Amino acid sequence: MKPNDLFTYIKTSPFTPDIISLSQCYQPIISFDALALYYYLYSFSDQGQGRYKWATILNHMDFGMKRLEQALDLLSAMELLQVYRADELTGLVLLPPLTVKQFLDKPLYKQLLAQRIGEASVEGLQGSRPPQEKNVSKTFSQVFTLTGQIEGRFEPKHDFDWSAFKALMAKDKLLFQDEAEDIIALSHIAEQAGWTWLETYRQAKATAIGFTLSTKRLQQSRQAKQVPAGHLSPQEQAIVREAKAKSSSALLAFIKEQRKAVPTDTERKCLKDLANLGLLDEVINVLVLYTFNKVDSANLNEKYAMKLGNDFSYKGIASAEAAILYLRELKTGQAQSKPKPETKTNVPDWSKEEVQQEQTQEGQAKLAALYRELEEMENKGGS
């Protein structure tokens, strides 16, 4: 936008804004610039009769375009303003603020306010609200259609049902990491993804760390990009299938069982630390397979696993396919930087020969095959 660009007010039903709510609830979040802009737009609105340059607002409020654009963004994000654009003309629809009660009944808004003024102050606002009867009368538009036909009532704008979300959490014994921060993050992710509260819950449950929700892993899951199957070799595709088929704890237990061992507390903690980085289980599984393949041992090299995990987190690796491609590029880069020595297999002898042990032959063969596929991926650079 430029100062000489034009805007107009779009005609709306008249309303009187709740100045108490604007001052007590909105202002700490949207800042004084946005609050002042809201009062300006309300005071000068002509219900669409004229067209004006942004410069008229800049001159009146004595600030520049950057501050104006930021104030407009804040007002629209808090649903106090709708902005429409057609060619060179911008249309503004001013919306009434929520009452204090309505504002504090929205968990997202309440947590945003608590971040600014503190929990105690928010509780004070709740305690100071006068008791009010709830007006449950229906408006014309909730009962009649555009053609005047009766169609029951129109549902109000969809909102995130936090009471239902928390009820399912209690049923599944899930916990927030930090409720105030998680509510804001979950609202943000759900809005960007276009998810309902139930879709958000299912995704959050699937990416939880144990019984604790992880918004980091949820965001990684949402942002994961699909890698076409043609970009992966058959060996790599086999590794991906196995990585997606098990949880990280289940795959670790499987590997340890085939090595006549059991997972240790430090190995379990390593998996949890990797998850806390935001890595999904399928990514952790590729990392664990790769790490075990590097060292012929019954124990996970936790130091190397965390080093690789930090790289994965820094690179934003969000899927097993992306992890495979990164490891392929990593190996290719190492091969180009120095002459490739004669390949010495790290596959343990028991995975190559027929041996008699308590573990199932099927399990041994499956794990040995995965290691061979990892080695072939490294040796051939994924080609």
Side-chain angles (χ1 to χ4, degrees), residues 253-262 289 291-300 346-348 350 357 359 367 371:
F254 172 73
I255 295 174
K256 298 283 284 190
E257 180 185 2
Q258 302 310 311
R259 298 192 172 199
K260 297 183 180 181
V262 295
L289 277 167
T291 302
F292 266 113
N293 187 51
K294 282 289 184 184
V295 180
D296 184 11
S297 171
N299 297 307
L300 179 68
N346 286 325
V347 180
W350 58 261
Q357 56 186 30
Q359 285 71 23
L367 189 58
Y371 286 144

Side-chain angles (χ1 to χ4, degrees), residues 265-318:
D265 289 340
T266 56
E267 286 173 335
R268 294 190 188 94
K269 181 180 183 300
C270 181
L271 293 186
K272 187 174 182 180
D273 290 341
L274 290 168
N276 284 328
L277 289 174
L279 301 180
L280 299 175
D281 276 18
E282 62 186 79
V283 176
I284 295 173
N285 286 344
V286 172
L287 184 156
V288 168
L289 277 167
Y290 187 81
T291 302
F292 266 113
N293 187 51
K294 282 289 184 184
V295 180
D296 184 11
S297 171
N299 297 307
L300 179 68
N301 187 332
E302 296 148 16
K303 185 176 180 180
Y304 182 77
M306 286 305 303
K307 179 178 180 294
L308 200 56
N310 284 329
D311 287 341
F312 278 20
S313 177
Y314 175 70
K315 296 291 184 180
I317 305 297

